[in-house]
Amino acid sequence: MTTPAPSPTAPSPTAAADARIPAAHPFAAHLRRAAALEAADPHRAWTPQDGPLPSLYLSHGGGPLPFQSPEWLTPLHDWARSLPKPKAILVVSAHWESAPLSVSADRPDELVYDFGGFDALYYTFRYDTPDAGDLSRQVTGLMPDTEHVHRHGRRGLDHGAWVPLKIMYPAADIPVLQLSLPTEDPDRLLAIGARLRPLRDQGVLVIGSGHMTHGLPFLTREMFQGNVVPGWSSDFDAWAADALARGDVAELARFRTAAPGMPYAHPTVEHFTPLFVTLGAATDPAAPVVTRLDGYGVGLSRRSFEAA
């Protein structure tokens, strides 16, 4: 007996999971808004006439918390729609520190739910994107012979990749590949970003995903309950904003010793260092960036930007 082929009208696993989200949940409202916008004004696909896409640095929020907050949902989705729809997306996330340099599976079966203590609903979310094998081969081919790239057969996207992308591109119809963060060295990350720069000319969106401040050990009740912003968070954010506006990459690279608020703003540095991949992938890493999301969530800076 042969197994019947699935119905061509059957919902995708992502759509089926989305349909089970309670209607009153903020993310369900976000999905309805996104669908209405797409029906009224379909997102225009990138063409070579658009020129290179920018590279982005995203502050991705705490675990699945952005799914609950219009302060994340609407700005991230509007940002995505302000750009031509990418042909593919490459993400370097703070949550995958791995050397040698590695790429995720071309089309993994599961996401990485690398957060704990949240509503069980979020562990049922899916983001099943198209095969990213072509992008994986391109990324591998762009690296120098001295930079071996390991291609994983099973690893899926972690929450630093799939949470913001599910908000920005909820249809899950764009191939997504994740590249590991192999070092904390800004110069090496800038060089990796520079290797990725040609992808932007082909309609690939290159994203560094972290958080502009990430002092999790120093969160207080007041920060959780009232979004009180401590001085170490606001001081670091102001310093970074000024350096980015001036295109002072060397100052940014000295963040461990030059930035006020350290080490509280980044007791570990993996949520800041993806910024250097973003800048390295820019046409001119020293050009001023455009901030697309700012403000604070539980006292942590959400500053996110695009670089041309």
Side-chain angles (χ1 to χ4, degrees):
M1 176 183 293
T2 59
T3 303
S7 167
T9 59
S12 70
T14 298
D18 289 346
R20 293 191 291 270
I21 300 171
H25 193 285
F27 190 65
H30 176 74
L31 291 173
R32 292 192 294 271
R33 174 181 181 267
L37 284 171
E38 183 65 20
D41 181 21
H43 195 174
R44 183 179 64 83
W46 177 90
T47 69
Q49 288 71 38
D50 291 309
L53 286 170
S55 53
L56 311 186
Y57 173 78
L58 291 178
S59 291
H60 58 239
L65 290 177
F67 291 130
Q68 303 174 187
S69 173
E71 289 77 16
W72 290 92
L73 296 170
T74 300
L76 284 176
H77 187 248
D78 288 352
W79 185 5
R81 283 185 59 89
S82 74
L83 304 171
K85 185 177 180 179
K87 293 175 68 67
I89 299 172
L90 178 68
V91 185
V92 178
S93 162
H95 293 275
W96 190 18
E97 296 178 272
S98 180
L101 198 63
S102 303
V103 291
S104 58
D106 295 348
R107 193 168 187 174
D109 294 329
E110 297 293 340
L111 298 174
V112 180
Y113 300 96
D114 51 340
F115 45 73
F118 294 96
D119 192 302
L121 171 70
Y122 298 117
Y123 303 90
T124 69
F125 277 25
R126 296 189 64 91
Y127 196 63
D128 300 274
T129 51
D131 190 287
D134 288 346
L135 180 57
S136 180
R137 288 182 285 274
Q138 284 180 283
V139 169
T140 302
L142 287 170
M143 294 300 142
D145 293 339
T146 55
E147 186 78 70
H148 172 72
V149 180
H150 176 68
R151 295 180 65 182
H152 280 260
R154 296 183 59 85
R155 191 188 195 280
L157 306 176
D158 64 50
H159 86 264
W162 70 264
V163 168
L165 291 181
K166 188 170 176 66
I167 295 169
M168 298 173 79
Y169 302 101
D173 57 354
I174 302 170
V176 179
L177 187 74
Q178 192 167 341
L179 183 67
S180 72
L181 188 66
T183 178
E184 297 178 348
D185 178 44
D187 289 335
R188 186 175 169 207
L189 293 173
L190 286 163
I192 289 172
R195 288 277 179 172
L196 301 173
R197 195 177 300 162
L199 296 174
R200 297 173 43 233
D201 295 310
Q202 301 169 47
V204 177
L205 189 63
V206 177
I207 299 176
S209 178
H211 221 294
M212 188 56 72
T213 58
H214 197 250
L216 297 188
F218 310 110
L219 295 181
T220 65
R221 183 189 300 261
E222 293 75 18
M223 293 169 73
F224 275 113
Q225 294 183 345
N227 194 23
V228 173
V229 181
W232 52 259
S233 186
S234 58
D235 289 349
F236 185 97
D237 178 65
W239 168 86
D242 175 69
L244 288 164
R246 293 184 289 105
D248 195 341
V249 180
E251 174 74 357
L252 291 164
R254 292 193 295 270
F255 72 97
R256 289 179 178 85
T257 55
M262 288 293 288
Y264 300 96
H266 288 284
T268 57
V269 302
E270 75 287 338
H271 277 73
F272 187 68
T273 52
L275 172 147
F276 296 105
V277 178
T278 298
L279 294 179
T283 303
D284 179 3
V289 305
V290 177
T291 296
R292 299 299 300 264
L293 180 66
D294 58 11
Y296 296 85
V298 296
L300 302 178
S301 170
R302 305 188 306 160
R303 186 172 300 279
S304 303
F305 62 82
E306 63 184 58

